[in-house]
Amino acid sequence: MSGPPFAPWEEAERFLATHPEIEAVDIVLVDANGVGRGKIIRRHELESLYRQGRHLPSSILGLDVTGEDVEETGLVWAMGDADLRVWPVPGTLAPLPFTHPARAQVLVSLYGLDGQPFGADPRHALARQIAALKEDGYHPAGAFELEFYLLDATPGPDGRPRPASMALDGRRHDQIQVYGLDDLDGMQPVFAAIYQAASAQGLPLETLIAEYAPGQYELTLHYRPCLMRAADDLIMLKRLVRAIARRHGMIACFMAKPFQGRAGSGMHLHVSLGDGAGGNHFSEKADGELVPVLRHAIGGLADTMAESMLVFAPHANSWRRYVANLYAPVEPSWGVNDRSVALRVPAGPAQARRVEHRPAGVDANPYLVGATVLAGISHGLENSIEPGPASRSGQPQPAPVTARTATMPRDWHQALIKAEASAFLKQALGPELHRSFTAIKRAELARVMAAVPDLDYQLYLHL
């Protein structure tokens, strides 16, 4: 049996010839929580991965965020914990230049033994939505932004995490200093290593920003003509940032809201629809007039946002990020050149017109975010949904109550209930992934609700 038409052996053969120092390879399968799981294989085993695939158990996609089985996914003992087969993703075999002895990594996707895509693999959900839009002449393009904190590897005097001291001189501060260049200079050894490693991996890493809290940073990636590759970029960048930070005695924190009263970390997705010939379906014909395809895309995203929020905010901590006036959108609003909204049309030339989708936290899975966003766009295009009036910059949020805003979930549990009942989300993710993802989230909710946090003792112990 031949494998699915993905990465050819010749790609790996050229890589190994160029990198004789590589001794082993991480094979990385991304689960529903966005966690990379897999194996480290030896150099000589890479050829069989490319020619024959590699067995991995179905249960690897039925794990909660702690790595424990969630039987309700139907992917563990209901399948006898059966082996399926992973195949390498083209263009993702890359060195890990910070490893000694030298290793590489390659992303993989999971297939049945018959070669058919396995429905619970998040990457396949995005592939289906891309293929559906391409059938109608739309080619999804985009890029993700990565916000995160750099923290000390050891807690502060109060026993809690704290922002990392400057790598150059050990200096600490508790000021926000958004867009501050001095902070970036102070972390130069860390970010120099990140840029060097990104270059070695072929990641189009671009701008570095000091974000809206001490120890918070943002890295941007160059726009890709294929949204799948943009999601692969984000997965690879997160692994890279975490590894480099660890080697500098720091923790790269991808929690959506690690600190009370400080900004949360988002994973904004910039998305547009190409025409396959270098054009952009979102480009306006007259200055300042959004074309119908862009308006309908925004309308579809707004219309489906309420039932999609579990994808954009998948964990208990995710919901702490949605605080007014801290740049995390709390309503399905839209606007032009306005960072207070959920769906922003950035300023810029018409040929670069796009939507910046802002609700997702950095803890979300980029494949699931991409699949859900594209499904929302398709929904808007198919039904010619108008988004209503744009929010006016400087006006109080949230937007006026409408059928959409009135049904927005206000917490994690409401988001889970909406997601479980959503026919739209089932179509966006596919029935297998919809079932396994919501089962994993329900198991995580039960774990969180069963725990007794310190706050309970502070509020109730003596009262």
Side-chain angles (χ1 to χ4, degrees):
M1 185 198 75
S2 63
F6 279 108
W9 159 241
E10 289 73 22
E11 178 181 303
E13 192 173 32
R14 289 191 299 271
F15 175 84
L16 293 176
T18 305
H19 296 280
E21 77 281 3
I22 296 295
E23 295 187 10
V25 181
D26 298 11
I27 59 174
V28 184
L29 177 66
V30 179
D31 71 9
N33 281 307
V35 177
R37 305 187 185 275
K39 300 179 178 181
I40 298 179
I41 62 175
R42 306 306 296 170
R43 178 188 178 97
H44 70 272
E45 296 180 273
L46 192 62
E47 182 172 2
S48 66
L49 171 67
Y50 275 76
R51 292 192 184 278
Q52 303 169 21
R54 180 91 184 201
H55 285 153
L56 281 180
S58 58
S59 59
I60 204 169
L61 295 180
L63 304 175
D64 68 12
V65 72
T66 72
E68 290 194 23
D69 290 334
V70 178
E71 179 60 36
E72 292 78 6
T73 61
L75 302 177
V76 191
W77 299 116
M79 293 183 60
D81 198 17
D83 273 341
L84 302 177
R85 187 174 281 126
V86 294
W87 294 87
V89 173
T92 64
L93 178 59
L96 301 174
F98 40 80
T99 55
H100 304 282
R103 301 199 318 271
Q105 74 172 13
V106 63
L107 303 185
V108 295
S109 276
L110 193 61
Y111 293 79
L113 299 182
D114 60 358
Q116 295 301 306
F118 188 59
D121 185 334
R123 207 170 182 279
H124 295 317
L126 177 53
R128 283 194 301 272
Q129 296 301 330
I130 291 173
L133 279 164
K134 282 186 175 181
E135 286 183 0
D136 294 328
Y138 300 112
H139 296 254
F144 287 90
E145 297 174 356
L146 179 67
E147 296 178 352
F148 60 97
Y149 280 82
L150 289 177
L151 309 179
D152 275 347
T154 55
D158 60 357
R160 300 178 68 83
R162 62 178 176 176
S165 58
M166 296 291 105
L168 276 181
D169 56 11
R171 178 174 59 86
R172 294 186 183 278
H173 69 80
D174 60 359
Q175 299 173 344
I176 291 177
Q177 297 296 350
V178 63
Y179 285 84
L181 295 174
D182 190 58
D183 282 7
L184 303 185
D185 183 57
M187 285 296 183
Q188 188 273 337
V190 178
F191 287 111
I194 288 172
Y195 275 98
Q196 183 180 27
S199 177
Q201 293 190 351
L203 293 178
L205 192 56
E206 294 193 328
T207 305
L208 170 64
I209 302 168
E211 268 292 349
Y212 202 70
Q216 189 187 34
Y217 303 91
E218 177 184 285
L219 288 166
T220 67
L221 289 153
H222 187 70
Y223 217 72
R224 292 282 199 178
C226 175
L227 192 61
M228 180 67 80
R229 190 57 215 255
D232 291 339
D233 286 345
L234 198 283
I235 289 292
M236 293 173 68
L237 181 58
K238 287 180 76 171
R239 281 179 52 83
L240 185 158
V241 169
R242 189 186 297 277
I244 296 293
R246 182 180 295 128
R247 283 157 176 79
H248 283 80
M250 301 176 185
I251 297 171
C253 176
F254 299 124
M255 290 173 64
K257 185 75 169 181
F259 297 107
Q260 181 179 351
R262 298 292 194 185
S265 293
M267 190 180 70
H268 303 163
L269 169 58
H270 293 253
V271 62
S272 60
L273 298 179
D275 62 8
N280 181 2
H281 285 290
F282 285 174
S283 296
E284 61 259 31
K285 305 300 185 287
D287 187 39
E289 290 186 17
L290 302 188
V291 293
V293 66
L294 177 52
R295 294 201 314 272
H296 297 158
I298 294 170
L301 290 170
D303 197 50
T304 57
M305 191 174 293
E307 52 201 302
S308 304
M309 284 305 298
L310 188 67
V311 169
F312 307 145
H315 305 289
N317 179 260
S318 309
W319 290 83
R320 302 188 192 282
R321 173 172 163 262
Y322 297 114
V323 178
N325 300 321
L326 277 178
Y327 295 98
V330 294
E331 304 292 348
S333 53
W334 77 279
V336 177
N337 195 21
D338 184 349
R339 284 186 171 85
S340 70
V341 298
L343 304 167
R344 172 179 175 249
V345 179
Q351 62 268 26
R353 192 66 66 231
R354 64 195 185 275
V355 176
E356 181 186 7
H357 185 274
R358 298 172 59 82
V362 72
D363 54 347
N365 182 322
Y367 299 121
L368 300 189
V369 171
T372 306
V373 166
L374 293 188
I377 289 174
S378 294
H379 171 71
L381 299 181
E382 291 165 5
N383 296 283
S384 299
I385 298 175
E386 290 290 343
S391 295
R392 295 171 58 192
S393 297
Q395 295 300 308
Q397 296 293 329
V401 175
T402 66
R404 292 171 187 156
T405 61
T407 61
M408 284 292 288
R410 299 303 171 190
D411 58 39
W412 191 31
H413 191 199
Q414 285 187 20
L416 175 57
I417 292 171
K418 283 186 174 295
E420 288 174 327
S422 172
F424 163 77
L425 197 60
K426 183 178 290 187
Q427 181 277 326
L429 304 182
E432 298 93 342
L433 182 54
H434 178 265
R435 180 191 67 244
S436 59
F437 177 66
T438 54
I440 289 167
K441 294 297 102 182
R442 188 158 284 283
E444 188 179 344
L445 173 65
R447 180 190 287 263
V448 169
M449 295 304 295
V452 180
D454 289 344
L455 182 62
D456 279 15
Y457 297 116
Q458 296 171 20
L459 293 177
Y460 311 122
L461 178 63
H462 296 294
L463 297 176

mmCIF file of all heavy atoms in Angstrom, residues 50-79:
data_model
loop_
_atom_site.group_PDB
_atom_site.id
_atom_site.type_symbol
_atom_site.label_atom_id
_atom_site.label_comp_id
_atom_site.label_asym_id
_atom_site.label_seq_id
_atom_site.Cartn_x
_atom_site.Cartn_y
_atom_site.Cartn_z
ATOM 1 N N TYR A 50 8.905 8.040 6.000
ATOM 2 C CA TYR A 50 8.487 8.650 4.738
ATOM 3 C C TYR A 50 7.954 7.628 3.746
ATOM 4 O O TYR A 50 7.056 7.935 2.950
ATOM 5 C CB TYR A 50 9.655 9.429 4.130
ATOM 6 C CG TYR A 50 9.766 10.836 4.673
ATOM 7 C CD1 TYR A 50 10.281 11.075 5.950
ATOM 8 C CD2 TYR A 50 9.342 11.933 3.938
ATOM 9 C CE1 TYR A 50 10.375 12.356 6.462
ATOM 10 C CE2 TYR A 50 9.424 13.218 4.436
ATOM 11 C CZ TYR A 50 9.939 13.429 5.703
ATOM 12 O OH TYR A 50 10.014 14.704 6.207
ATOM 13 N N ARG A 51 8.485 6.433 3.781
ATOM 14 C CA ARG A 51 8.065 5.433 2.787
ATOM 15 C C ARG A 51 6.857 4.615 3.238
ATOM 16 O O ARG A 51 6.037 4.207 2.416
ATOM 17 C CB ARG A 51 9.233 4.492 2.481
ATOM 18 C CG ARG A 51 10.389 5.153 1.733
ATOM 19 C CD ARG A 51 11.354 4.108 1.219
ATOM 20 N NE ARG A 51 12.538 4.663 0.574
ATOM 21 C CZ ARG A 51 12.578 5.084 -0.693
ATOM 22 N NH1 ARG A 51 11.487 5.035 -1.445
ATOM 23 N NH2 ARG A 51 13.709 5.562 -1.204
ATOM 24 N N GLN A 52 6.751 4.373 4.556
ATOM 25 C CA GLN A 52 5.725 3.451 5.049
ATOM 26 C C GLN A 52 4.830 4.043 6.123
ATOM 27 O O GLN A 52 3.874 3.394 6.558
ATOM 28 C CB GLN A 52 6.395 2.189 5.623
ATOM 29 C CG GLN A 52 7.294 1.468 4.635
ATOM 30 C CD GLN A 52 8.141 0.407 5.314
ATOM 31 O OE1 GLN A 52 7.809 -0.064 6.403
ATOM 32 N NE2 GLN A 52 9.243 0.017 4.694
ATOM 33 N N GLY A 53 5.111 5.273 6.560
ATOM 34 C CA GLY A 53 4.396 5.813 7.696
ATOM 35 C C GLY A 53 4.900 5.199 8.990
ATOM 36 O O GLY A 53 5.823 4.376 9.004
ATOM 37 N N ARG A 54 4.271 5.594 10.091
ATOM 38 C CA ARG A 54 4.692 5.103 11.407
ATOM 39 C C ARG A 54 3.465 4.903 12.276
ATOM 40 O O ARG A 54 2.576 5.753 12.330
ATOM 41 C CB ARG A 54 5.628 6.120 12.058
ATOM 42 C CG ARG A 54 6.147 5.732 13.423
ATOM 43 C CD ARG A 54 7.443 4.988 13.313
ATOM 44 N NE ARG A 54 7.926 4.528 14.617
ATOM 45 C CZ ARG A 54 9.200 4.218 14.864
ATOM 46 N NH1 ARG A 54 10.107 4.327 13.901
ATOM 47 N NH2 ARG A 54 9.560 3.793 16.056
ATOM 48 N N HIS A 55 3.403 3.784 12.965
ATOM 49 C CA HIS A 55 2.254 3.512 13.822
ATOM 50 C C HIS A 55 2.281 4.394 15.073
ATOM 51 O O HIS A 55 3.315 4.540 15.726
ATOM 52 C CB HIS A 55 2.240 2.047 14.252
ATOM 53 C CG HIS A 55 1.815 1.118 13.168
ATOM 54 N ND1 HIS A 55 2.212 -0.199 13.101
ATOM 55 C CD2 HIS A 55 1.018 1.309 12.088
ATOM 56 C CE1 HIS A 55 1.681 -0.777 12.035
ATOM 57 N NE2 HIS A 55 0.957 0.124 11.410
ATOM 58 N N LEU A 56 1.125 4.985 15.368
ATOM 59 C CA LEU A 56 0.872 5.654 16.643
ATOM 60 C C LEU A 56 -0.547 5.307 17.062
ATOM 61 O O LEU A 56 -1.428 5.133 16.214
ATOM 62 C CB LEU A 56 1.021 7.176 16.520
ATOM 63 C CG LEU A 56 2.434 7.770 16.521
ATOM 64 C CD1 LEU A 56 2.366 9.286 16.399
ATOM 65 C CD2 LEU A 56 3.199 7.394 17.783
ATOM 66 N N PRO A 57 -0.823 5.223 18.366
ATOM 67 C CA PRO A 57 -2.160 4.817 18.817
ATOM 68 C C PRO A 57 -3.201 5.906 18.604
ATOM 69 O O PRO A 57 -2.904 7.102 18.687
ATOM 70 C CB PRO A 57 -1.957 4.532 20.307
ATOM 71 C CG PRO A 57 -0.771 5.355 20.693
ATOM 72 C CD PRO A 57 0.122 5.388 19.485
ATOM 73 N N SER A 58 -4.430 5.486 18.366
ATOM 74 C CA SER A 58 -5.539 6.426 18.211
ATOM 75 C C SER A 58 -5.741 7.270 19.455
ATOM 76 O O SER A 58 -6.167 8.427 19.381
ATOM 77 C CB SER A 58 -6.836 5.660 17.906
ATOM 78 O OG SER A 58 -7.130 4.724 18.955
ATOM 79 N N SER A 59 -5.411 6.722 20.623
ATOM 80 C CA SER A 59 -5.655 7.416 21.890
ATOM 81 C C SER A 59 -4.820 8.671 22.045
ATOM 82 O O SER A 59 -5.116 9.506 22.904
ATOM 83 C CB SER A 59 -5.371 6.478 23.067
ATOM 84 O OG SER A 59 -4.020 6.024 23.039
ATOM 85 N N ILE A 60 -3.791 8.849 21.227
ATOM 86 C CA ILE A 60 -2.961 10.047 21.355
ATOM 87 C C ILE A 60 -3.773 11.307 21.061
ATOM 88 O O ILE A 60 -3.450 12.398 21.522
ATOM 89 C CB ILE A 60 -1.731 9.947 20.430
ATOM 90 C CG1 ILE A 60 -0.594 10.830 20.941
ATOM 91 C CG2 ILE A 60 -2.071 10.329 18.992
ATOM 92 C CD1 ILE A 60 0.738 10.581 20.249
ATOM 93 N N LEU A 61 -4.888 11.164 20.314
ATOM 94 C CA LEU A 61 -5.768 12.301 20.049
ATOM 95 C C LEU A 61 -6.960 12.332 21.002
ATOM 96 O O LEU A 61 -7.847 13.171 20.838
ATOM 97 C CB LEU A 61 -6.254 12.266 18.601
ATOM 98 C CG LEU A 61 -5.155 12.439 17.549
ATOM 99 C CD1 LEU A 61 -5.742 12.383 16.144
ATOM 100 C CD2 LEU A 61 -4.393 13.744 17.752
ATOM 101 N N GLY A 62 -6.969 11.459 21.991
ATOM 102 C CA GLY A 62 -8.046 11.428 22.977
ATOM 103 C C GLY A 62 -7.563 11.754 24.370
ATOM 104 O O GLY A 62 -8.143 11.299 25.362
ATOM 105 N N LEU A 63 -6.502 12.574 24.473
ATOM 106 C CA LEU A 63 -5.911 12.925 25.757
ATOM 107 C C LEU A 63 -6.362 14.307 26.213
ATOM 108 O O LEU A 63 -6.585 15.202 25.389
ATOM 109 C CB LEU A 63 -4.383 12.915 25.651
ATOM 110 C CG LEU A 63 -3.733 11.616 25.171
ATOM 111 C CD1 LEU A 63 -2.231 11.814 25.003
ATOM 112 C CD2 LEU A 63 -4.021 10.478 26.135
ATOM 113 N N ASP A 64 -6.466 14.473 27.536
ATOM 114 C CA ASP A 64 -6.731 15.813 28.046
ATOM 115 C C ASP A 64 -5.426 16.603 28.111
ATOM 116 O O ASP A 64 -4.368 16.108 27.704
ATOM 117 C CB ASP A 64 -7.455 15.765 29.393
ATOM 118 C CG ASP A 64 -6.601 15.217 30.533
ATOM 119 O OD1 ASP A 64 -5.377 15.070 30.363
ATOM 120 O OD2 ASP A 64 -7.164 14.940 31.612
ATOM 121 N N VAL A 65 -5.468 17.811 28.622
ATOM 122 C CA VAL A 65 -4.303 18.679 28.595
ATOM 123 C C VAL A 65 -3.178 18.143 29.474
ATOM 124 O O VAL A 65 -2.011 18.488 29.286
ATOM 125 C CB VAL A 65 -4.701 20.116 29.001
ATOM 126 C CG1 VAL A 65 -4.999 20.202 30.490
ATOM 127 C CG2 VAL A 65 -3.642 21.132 28.576
ATOM 128 N N THR A 66 -3.494 17.254 30.436
ATOM 129 C CA THR A 66 -2.469 16.658 31.295
ATOM 130 C C THR A 66 -1.888 15.385 30.696
ATOM 131 O O THR A 66 -0.968 14.805 31.258
ATOM 132 C CB THR A 66 -3.037 16.321 32.688
ATOM 133 O OG1 THR A 66 -3.923 15.197 32.585
ATOM 134 C CG2 THR A 66 -3.766 17.507 33.285
ATOM 135 N N GLY A 67 -2.439 14.933 29.568
ATOM 136 C CA GLY A 67 -1.950 13.704 28.938
ATOM 137 C C GLY A 67 -2.664 12.449 29.383
ATOM 138 O O GLY A 67 -2.226 11.339 29.066
ATOM 139 N N GLU A 68 -3.777 12.590 30.100
ATOM 140 C CA GLU A 68 -4.543 11.421 30.525
ATOM 141 C C GLU A 68 -5.623 11.077 29.495
ATOM 142 O O GLU A 68 -6.186 11.959 28.838
ATOM 143 C CB GLU A 68 -5.198 11.677 31.889
ATOM 144 C CG GLU A 68 -4.205 11.731 33.037
ATOM 145 C CD GLU A 68 -4.900 11.647 34.386
ATOM 146 O OE1 GLU A 68 -6.040 11.129 34.446
ATOM 147 O OE2 GLU A 68 -4.314 12.120 35.373
ATOM 148 N N ASP A 69 -5.923 9.776 29.382
ATOM 149 C CA ASP A 69 -6.968 9.322 28.469
ATOM 150 C C ASP A 69 -8.327 9.902 28.852
ATOM 151 O O ASP A 69 -8.659 10.011 30.039
ATOM 152 C CB ASP A 69 -7.088 7.793 28.507
ATOM 153 C CG ASP A 69 -5.898 7.087 27.879
ATOM 154 O OD1 ASP A 69 -5.243 7.686 27.014
ATOM 155 O OD2 ASP A 69 -5.629 5.928 28.262
ATOM 156 N N VAL A 70 -9.114 10.242 27.830
ATOM 157 C CA VAL A 70 -10.516 10.605 28.022
ATOM 158 C C VAL A 70 -11.326 9.571 27.247
ATOM 159 O O VAL A 70 -11.460 9.650 26.030
ATOM 160 C CB VAL A 70 -10.815 12.034 27.517
ATOM 161 C CG1 VAL A 70 -12.309 12.347 27.687
ATOM 162 C CG2 VAL A 70 -9.965 13.054 28.267
ATOM 163 N N GLU A 71 -11.838 8.599 27.967
ATOM 164 C CA GLU A 71 -12.523 7.479 27.320
ATOM 165 C C GLU A 71 -13.737 7.939 26.522
ATOM 166 O O GLU A 71 -14.084 7.346 25.487
ATOM 167 C CB GLU A 71 -12.951 6.468 28.393
ATOM 168 C CG GLU A 71 -13.701 5.261 27.855
ATOM 169 C CD GLU A 71 -12.875 4.453 26.854
ATOM 170 O OE1 GLU A 71 -11.649 4.342 27.043
ATOM 171 O OE2 GLU A 71 -13.478 3.944 25.881
ATOM 172 N N GLU A 72 -14.387 9.034 26.971
ATOM 173 C CA GLU A 72 -15.593 9.508 26.294
ATOM 174 C C GLU A 72 -15.331 10.008 24.867
ATOM 175 O O GLU A 72 -16.267 10.238 24.106
ATOM 176 C CB GLU A 72 -16.238 10.630 27.113
ATOM 177 C CG GLU A 72 -16.827 10.194 28.448
ATOM 178 C CD GLU A 72 -15.774 10.005 29.534
ATOM 179 O OE1 GLU A 72 -14.577 10.336 29.283
ATOM 180 O OE2 GLU A 72 -16.134 9.531 30.626
ATOM 181 N N THR A 73 -14.073 10.188 24.495
ATOM 182 C CA THR A 73 -13.770 10.581 23.118
ATOM 183 C C THR A 73 -14.052 9.465 22.125
ATOM 184 O O THR A 73 -14.184 9.718 20.920
ATOM 185 C CB THR A 73 -12.286 10.974 22.977
ATOM 186 O OG1 THR A 73 -11.466 9.843 23.302
ATOM 187 C CG2 THR A 73 -11.940 12.148 23.880
ATOM 188 N N GLY A 74 -14.123 8.231 22.617
ATOM 189 C CA GLY A 74 -14.269 7.089 21.717
ATOM 190 C C GLY A 74 -12.977 6.699 21.022
ATOM 191 O O GLY A 74 -12.990 5.877 20.098
ATOM 192 N N LEU A 75 -11.855 7.252 21.473
ATOM 193 C CA LEU A 75 -10.573 7.019 20.805
ATOM 194 C C LEU A 75 -9.628 6.140 21.615
ATOM 195 O O LEU A 75 -8.489 5.910 21.178
ATOM 196 C CB LEU A 75 -9.879 8.362 20.535
ATOM 197 C CG LEU A 75 -10.662 9.372 19.691
ATOM 198 C CD1 LEU A 75 -9.886 10.679 19.567
ATOM 199 C CD2 LEU A 75 -10.951 8.804 18.314
ATOM 200 N N VAL A 76 -10.102 5.653 22.761
ATOM 201 C CA VAL A 76 -9.201 4.878 23.623
ATOM 202 C C VAL A 76 -9.630 3.413 23.564
ATOM 203 O O VAL A 76 -9.438 2.744 22.553
ATOM 204 C CB VAL A 76 -9.194 5.445 25.062
ATOM 205 C CG1 VAL A 76 -8.071 4.810 25.870
ATOM 206 C CG2 VAL A 76 -9.004 6.970 25.039
ATOM 207 N N TRP A 77 -10.288 2.916 24.601
ATOM 208 C CA TRP A 77 -10.603 1.484 24.628
ATOM 209 C C TRP A 77 -11.772 1.114 23.734
ATOM 210 O O TRP A 77 -11.927 -0.050 23.350
ATOM 211 C CB TRP A 77 -10.840 1.026 26.066
ATOM 212 C CG TRP A 77 -9.608 1.229 26.894
ATOM 213 C CD1 TRP A 77 -9.455 2.051 27.958
ATOM 214 C CD2 TRP A 77 -8.321 0.639 26.664
ATOM 215 N NE1 TRP A 77 -8.164 2.026 28.421
ATOM 216 C CE2 TRP A 77 -7.443 1.149 27.643
ATOM 217 C CE3 TRP A 77 -7.822 -0.268 25.726
ATOM 218 C CZ2 TRP A 77 -6.103 0.780 27.723
ATOM 219 C CZ3 TRP A 77 -6.480 -0.635 25.796
ATOM 220 C CH2 TRP A 77 -5.650 -0.116 26.779
ATOM 221 N N ALA A 78 -12.600 2.087 23.357
ATOM 222 C CA ALA A 78 -13.662 1.794 22.386
ATOM 223 C C ALA A 78 -13.080 1.337 21.055
ATOM 224 O O ALA A 78 -13.728 0.620 20.288
ATOM 225 C CB ALA A 78 -14.538 3.023 22.178
ATOM 226 N N MET A 79 -11.828 1.761 20.783
ATOM 227 C CA MET A 79 -11.122 1.334 19.575
ATOM 228 C C MET A 79 -10.029 0.319 19.892
ATOM 229 O O MET A 79 -9.216 -0.029 19.027
ATOM 230 C CB MET A 79 -10.485 2.538 18.867
ATOM 231 C CG MET A 79 -11.471 3.528 18.290
ATOM 232 S SD MET A 79 -10.644 4.883 17.402
ATOM 233 C CE MET A 79 -9.741 3.985 16.118
#
